[in-house]
């Protein structure tokens, strides 16, 4: 008998030969990407190059016209909507540029929300959420509403919310797009360190090479295909 092949390096998520068009606009053409567990990966390209489309396909929000999306080897692009929604709630986290927090809820409840939606009792969810404030440098902001925070603080709360359910993959779409350079660097450092500490793979979509430089490697979007760039570290 042969020894079973190690799965340690098997991708947690892979897109294979993905093609997606909107009308006559072919956004992705045979684009392939593999995300290893626990790595941080930047997807870089100019505005309109298809970065968000790729992220939506990988996370099961949008179906590709052709190609395959495998999460832990499972073809999620074939799953029905309810099963993909369940996957997003339990296995994936999302951070966007801004405006993703519920304005009427204090930070602690914003962070606890994914756990509450997954059925955890509120007290337990808040306790689990509270543990994320110190590592992200936002201790003391638990009762603040989003309108009472700076942009950088709000993004750290958003990162805490995206990680609170311990996802396998965290998707961040231009997560620092609304921040100044100094705050952007601090948020990227925390995003990468917290994800790595939790064993969550991080996929950051950005047009900014300074943001991409925080990731283990960078893939460029070029005319609808994905091209590996030089490893940064
Ligand atoms: N739902 C949609 N309907 C029609 N066109 C879309 C849709 N989503 C994206 N596009 C088009 O696809 C291209 C890539 O968009 P997007 O993935 O948002 O790029 P990026 O995130 O790199 O800025 C753009 O030309 C955009 O207009
Ligand atoms: Mg985009």
């Amino acid at each position: 008998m042969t020894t079973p092949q190690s799965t340690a390096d098997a991708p947690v998520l892979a897109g294979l030969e993905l093609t997606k068009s909107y009308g006559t606009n072919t956004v992705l053409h045979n684009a392939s990407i593999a995300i290893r567990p626990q790595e941080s990966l930047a997807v870089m390209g100019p505005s309109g190059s298809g970065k968000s489309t790729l992220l939506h396909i990988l996370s099961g929000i949008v179906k590709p016209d052709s190609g395959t999306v495998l999460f832990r080897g499972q073809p999620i692009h074939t799953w029905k909507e309810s099963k993909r929604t369940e996957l997003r709630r339990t296995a994936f986290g999302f951070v966007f540029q801004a405006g993703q927090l519920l304005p009427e809820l204090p930070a602690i409840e914003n962070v606890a929300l994914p756990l509450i939606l997954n059925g955890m009792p509120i007290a337990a969810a808040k306790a689990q959420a509270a543990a994320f404030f110190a590592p992200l440098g936002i201790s003391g902001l638990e009762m603040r509403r989003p309108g009472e925070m700076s942009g950088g603080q709000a993004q750290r709360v958003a990162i805490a919310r995206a990680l609170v359910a311990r996802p396998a993959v965290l998707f961040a779409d231009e997560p620092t797009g609304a921040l100044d350079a100094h705050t952007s660097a601090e948020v990227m450092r925390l995003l990468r360190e917290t994800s790595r500490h939790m064993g969550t793979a991080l996929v950051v979509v950005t047009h900014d090479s300074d943001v991409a430089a925080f990731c283990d490697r960078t893939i460029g979007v070029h005319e609808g295909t994905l091209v590996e760039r030089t490893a940064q570290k």
Side-chain angles (χ1 to χ4, degrees):
M1 266 186 65
T2 54
T3 312
Q5 196 187 341
S6 165
T7 55
D9 276 340
V12 60
L13 187 66
L16 305 172
E17 302 192 334
L18 299 171
T19 294
K20 180 72 184 176
S21 299
Y22 291 108
T24 57
N25 179 10
T26 300
V27 181
L28 296 175
H29 184 73
N30 288 334
S32 295
I33 185 171
I35 298 145
R36 294 189 281 267
Q38 313 193 16
E39 79 168 333
S40 57
L41 173 64
V43 176
M44 248 194 91
S47 182
S49 58
K51 304 183 298 296
S52 294
T53 301
L54 173 69
L55 192 148
H56 294 153
I57 292 173
L58 290 174
S59 56
I61 296 169
V62 167
K63 283 200 180 192
D65 298 334
S66 63
T68 306
V69 183
L70 299 174
F71 173 70
R72 293 181 171 146
Q74 299 293 307
I76 64 168
H77 63 290
T78 66
W79 292 5
K80 61 182 186 189
E81 176 58 34
S82 59
K83 202 174 166 193
R84 282 183 284 127
T85 302
E86 171 78 12
L87 178 74
R88 284 196 295 276
R89 277 198 308 157
T90 54
F92 296 158
F94 296 88
V95 176
F96 303 103
Q97 182 168 325
Q100 59 213 293
L101 300 174
L102 294 179
E104 66 273 26
L105 295 184
I108 186 79
E109 291 180 25
N110 263 292
V111 176
L113 201 58
L115 301 174
I116 295 167
L117 292 175
N118 284 344
M120 188 180 282
I122 288 172
K126 282 191 183 178
Q128 189 165 319
F132 282 79
F133 281 69
L136 288 166
I138 45 175
S139 294
L141 299 186
E142 288 84 349
M143 294 314 293
R144 293 252 196 111
R145 287 178 172 72
E148 301 161 345
M149 296 174 210
S150 70
Q153 289 170 337
Q155 282 308 77
R156 295 191 226 179
V157 173
I159 292 166
R161 185 169 75 177
L163 285 170
V164 74
R166 303 194 156 270
V169 184
L170 173 56
F171 297 99
D173 193 344
E174 307 276 8
T176 63
L179 306 176
D180 62 65
H182 175 77
T183 311
S184 170
E186 180 67 1
V187 166
M188 278 307 302
R189 186 182 66 76
L190 286 163
L191 178 59
R192 185 186 184 226
E193 283 185 2
T194 315
S195 302
R196 183 156 57 177
H197 182 71
M198 294 180 65
T200 293
L202 174 63
V203 183
V204 179
V205 155
T206 183
H207 64 271
D208 183 342
S209 57
D210 290 341
V211 169
F214 281 88
C215 295
D216 298 330
R217 64 188 176 108
T218 297
I219 284 177
V221 188
H222 183 70
E223 293 179 354
T225 64
L226 300 172
V227 184
E228 186 92 34
R229 298 199 180 166
T230 315
Q232 277 142 351
K233 308 191 175 90

